[in-house]
Amino acid sequence: MSGASTPVDPLNDASIAATLFTQNPLGFGGMVLRGSSPERDALVTAIADKHPTRRLPAHVDDERLLGGIDIAASLAAGRPVETRGLLTEADGTVLIVPMAERMDEALAGRLAQALDDKRVALILLDDAREADEGPPPSLMERLAFQCDLTHSREREASLGPAQRGEAAPLNDEALGAIAATGAALGVHSVRALIHASEAARAHAAMAGRDEVERADLEAAARLVLAPRAKQLPPPPQEPEADDAPPPEPGEDPQENNQQSTDQKLEDKVVEAAAAAIPADLLAQLAKGLAPRAPGASGSGQKRKSGLRGKPLGARPGMPRGGARLAMIDTLRAAVPWQGVRQREVGAESDAPLIMRKDDLRVRRFEEKAARVTIFAVDASGSAAAARLAEAKGAVELMLAQAYVTRSEVALIAFRGEVAELLLPPTRSLTRARRALAELPGGGGTPLAMGLNTARELAHSVRGRGRTPSLIVLTDGRANIGADGQPGRRQAGEDAKNAAKAIARERLDALVVDISARASREGGELAEAMQARYLALPRADAKTLHTAICGIEPA
């Protein structure tokens, strides 16, 4: 893999992707631009100079999006007055969607339908700060290009020249290379492969070529397939010894040469795609962690609310139990039926609006669940006092921010033959200091007990509608089993089973290795938990707090 070469600024590839996109917006579907920055704004402006665009309001409702009844005009005219929807107005243009990471599934479904009908193309502006947040997967699947400009240092964005002519369709060799690259990266979406093929053709046409060449295939793999990678490609195979039997009489030697050429082309395209995998994604893949789908891990959970949070569309319902009446939406539901209702009751055309129960609409909101960070601390052995002091300090530092981040903290210590919940989930710094004033330490390492206690607490936290995060401070060397009996072998097996149970719960977890050197046991524990791993020997409370906040969503 040639990933060790000089890194290329992501804005360069984003500019190439934008150039290809502007050649055929409806064919490519659109782009995802992650990372708010002036460079991203410049790129969007450059696209707008090439193709007409419209901006989608952040909280657009169905009536504005699809069309509906104009309330003011209907009341003035005494008859329903229909309005055109934004999708109709934007037919054939590019819709720019700000804060796409906050889009709800209903709106994503309507936009996906418009994409399938080739009515509009999309540019999703993704401002998410958390790794597991992003635009809805249903839209990401339909857009050809995904560009992360978070780490871009370039200042100017410009598009390339318009394509000249049209390249011929890909031959079997090129199609095989695209398919093999997708398989090597774990990209099994047919849409992605089709987009990659079309990107290769557009790239060739932009360079003035009639036929797709290897450079076009590499660009397509880098722009379309690499951001979607779910696994690292297998290492290249060592060339076999030249002990193949000589060709049989009548066998065409060019056939064998052709197979060798096919293999080389596939390898080159795979290598180009692997080198373009984003650094953070590459780190996850190197640990064997496939990127989690947004919302699939349970972290950063969003839930519907009738009182507070991000406004969503209204729904039919009674304004009771704290739900608020959506007056405009209620009028929109009632106005189209006024003619029918007036005839039913024999009312005059200028009579007051006739409302019915099923016209009522109530507001909906979406709020983010509070996060509960659970510390599970190995308090065994001679280093217990230092570890607990680190955890205690980190807990206090995190609680100092709890008011801002709306988070809570809990602490579990495991030592001897027990695991204890020393501090239940709390946001109170005073309560935490009182509970943490004197902490016990020493004895054996019942790691399985500590993990099971943490998992049960996380399960309870999730049941109350909050989002648990698990921070385990340990060296991973267990010597007390889940039944309280000593024995390293059984203790190790129990700890492994407890870690796998946490992985099945899909908890957002981090293993902090606090041994003097990064240990094999700590890495294996993180792997079994499907957790992130952080080797942090001799860390003080501030270093531990900084490290956790650096990788844990706020």
Side-chain angles (χ1 to χ4, degrees), residues 132-147:
D132 58 350
E133 282 192 344
S138 58
L139 293 182
M140 299 272 282
E141 160 75 11
R142 288 170 166 80
L143 308 187
F145 306 109
Q146 301 175 13
C147 306

Side-chain angles (χ1 to χ4, degrees), residues 74-286:
S74 298
L75 292 175
R79 58 181 177 79
V81 177
E82 296 185 356
T83 60
R84 299 176 67 197
L86 194 147
L87 280 179
T88 302
E89 296 173 358
D91 210 4
T93 67
V94 176
L95 271 180
I96 300 172
V97 185
M99 295 185 290
E101 76 282 359
R102 300 185 180 184
M103 186 186 301
D104 61 46
E105 295 178 357
L107 176 58
R110 290 169 177 80
L111 292 178
Q113 183 64 56
L115 286 171
D116 291 344
D117 295 340
K118 306 292 183 186
R119 297 179 60 189
V120 296
L122 297 178
I123 294 178
L124 303 183
L125 304 182
D126 179 8
D127 297 330
R129 300 180 62 184
E130 301 178 8
D132 58 350
E133 282 192 344
S138 58
L139 293 182
M140 299 272 282
E141 160 75 11
R142 288 170 166 80
L143 308 187
F145 306 109
Q146 301 175 13
C147 306
D148 189 347
L149 302 178
T150 305
H151 305 294
S152 174
R153 296 182 178 178
E154 293 287 342
R155 295 299 178 191
E156 297 183 359
S158 60
L159 304 187
Q163 75 179 43
R164 292 168 283 177
E166 184 175 354
L170 274 63
N171 55 29
D172 292 344
E173 177 188 359
L175 289 173
I178 291 288
T181 305
L185 299 179
V187 180
H188 304 297
S189 167
V190 176
R191 279 197 184 97
L193 300 181
I194 294 174
H195 282 148
S197 302
E198 291 303 314
R201 291 185 64 205
H203 191 271
M206 190 171 66
R209 290 190 284 269
D210 296 330
E211 300 288 338
V212 172
E213 298 181 355
R214 197 186 87 187
D216 307 315
L217 295 174
E218 291 179 351
R222 196 175 69 244
L223 299 174
V224 179
L225 299 180
R228 291 175 162 85
K230 292 183 172 58
Q231 67 184 32
L232 286 175
Q237 296 181 350
E238 295 294 334
E240 297 181 357
D242 190 14
D243 54 355
E248 297 292 335
E251 184 179 351
D252 186 4
Q254 293 184 354
E255 185 175 345
N256 293 331
N257 296 337
Q258 183 64 38
Q259 292 178 355
S260 176
T261 304
D262 293 346
Q263 187 65 34
K264 289 180 180 177
L265 178 61
E266 292 177 5
D267 291 345
K268 293 294 183 183
V269 178
V270 170
E271 185 178 354
I277 297 176
D280 51 349
L281 180 58
L282 187 64
Q284 289 188 38
L285 296 177

Side-chain angles (χ1 to χ4, degrees), residues 286-371:
K287 294 179 181 177
L289 302 177
R292 294 176 175 176
S297 65
S299 61
Q301 291 174 335
K302 299 174 181 177
R303 59 184 181 185
K304 300 294 185 296
S305 171
L307 299 176
R308 62 181 70 86
K310 184 183 70 174
L312 299 177
R315 64 170 179 81
M318 296 293 292
R320 60 190 176 193
R324 303 172 186 171
L325 178 66
M327 179 59 73
I328 299 299
D329 296 286
T330 299
L331 291 174
R332 281 198 176 102
V335 166
W337 302 100
Q338 291 307 300
V340 175
R341 294 174 184 176
Q342 287 167 357
R343 287 194 294 273
E344 287 179 351
V345 301
E348 300 293 335
S349 59
D350 58 349
L353 284 175
I354 301 175
M355 306 291 296
R356 292 182 178 173
K357 181 179 177 181
D358 53 5
D359 294 331
L360 298 178
R361 299 290 186 271
V362 294
R363 295 183 183 278
R364 291 188 307 156
F365 299 90
E366 183 179 77
E367 63 178 350
K368 197 168 184 179
R371 179 174 296 276

Side-chain angles (χ1 to χ4, degrees), residues 467-533:
T467 302
S469 286
L470 182 58
I471 312 291
V472 182
L473 282 76
T474 182
D475 56 10
R477 301 187 179 98
N479 54 24
I480 302 293
D483 57 356
Q485 299 300 316
R488 289 188 179 277
R489 182 173 181 180
Q490 185 59 44
E493 289 294 324
D494 291 345
K496 188 175 181 181
N497 292 333
K500 289 182 177 178
I502 290 176
R504 287 194 293 272
E505 295 270 351
R506 299 182 68 80
L507 291 172
D508 184 23
L510 167 69
V511 174
V512 180
D513 191 341
I514 54 177
S515 54
R517 296 179 180 177
S519 64
R520 175 180 57 82
E521 293 86 350
E524 291 176 349
L525 179 66
E527 184 178 359
M529 290 173 60
Q530 295 185 12
R532 288 160 291 183
Y533 175 74

